Amino acid sequence: MRNHTRTPLRRAARLAALALGASALLAAVSPQAQADDGRDIPDYQGAQHVLDSGQVHRTVSRFLGFIDHPGDDGGTMGRPMTADSPGGKQQFSVNSPVPLYELAPEFVTGKARPTSADAVRLSYLAAQVTSKDGHHAAVLLGRRSPSGPWGLAGIRDGNEDITFAKRATNGSTVFSEPQIHAWYRLVNNTVEPLNHEARTGFGGRHSMPLAEYQKLVHHRYADKMPGSAYDRKGLAGGYGLASAQPTTHPAGDDTSMLLGGSGAALALAGGTLILRRHRRHAPRS
């Protein structure tokens, strides 16, 4: 004779097991939608689709082929390389994207309060590319508007940006001050420099309260932001926030912007790949 008193318990146990199994399956097939610092990454699935697209894979392949065949100047500026150029097809792997944060314009101008939530904004998603021979590059995805879709914004040689971004932890955010190529960690409303440029900008200090850091960058850039008189005179030289520049739409052709910063970056024009290295300068006062 069956013990019917245990049936509800067994049924509940089976339902719980099914629920746990479904949760595990969803976790296995759903990409992470949150950064290491706990901030949400909008439309993470869409970003993954862009990285998996033929456009990105063709562009990365051509970029790596370009790196492998630099110009006569030793790589400062190589020859343009078209899709039909020899060596255009490269073998590589692409990692999942990580967020790159920069100073928020409202924080610089003083319109935003000195809080962790208002000091920085998401500018790009960066995915590390590793070629068959171990060479690293970074694919950057950007958006035309805060709610728009992700699209290919450019490719940078090396993985320095990603290395810094990965130093974020739950409770701390890593961000850049792109005008001087400085990287910082923001934790408990305290800013800590992470590289030489940041320590130099801090005068050798190991940390600075966020409110004090806001005054520092306000003094440096508040009158030099895009649209300012300084900018209209042509003196800014690209020292506005990198994310203020336009990005390409994912449905567009293989055309992307040349990104500011150090090292080599990719510009595409009319299907032709051009690699440039650019120098860093402090903004003129």
Side-chain angles (χ1 to χ4, degrees), residues 25-48:
L25 180 62
L26 286 172
V29 300
S30 300
Q32 177 185 336
Q34 200 173 66
D36 288 339
D37 64 354
R39 295 174 187 251
D40 290 333
I41 301 176
D43 193 18
Y44 191 80
Q45 183 70 57
Q48 288 279 17

Side-chain angles (χ1 to χ4, degrees), residues 79-94:
R79 295 176 302 175
M81 178 180 177
T82 63
D84 297 328
S85 297
K89 294 182 179 179
Q90 302 287 323
Q91 293 183 356
F92 58 88
S93 62
V94 182

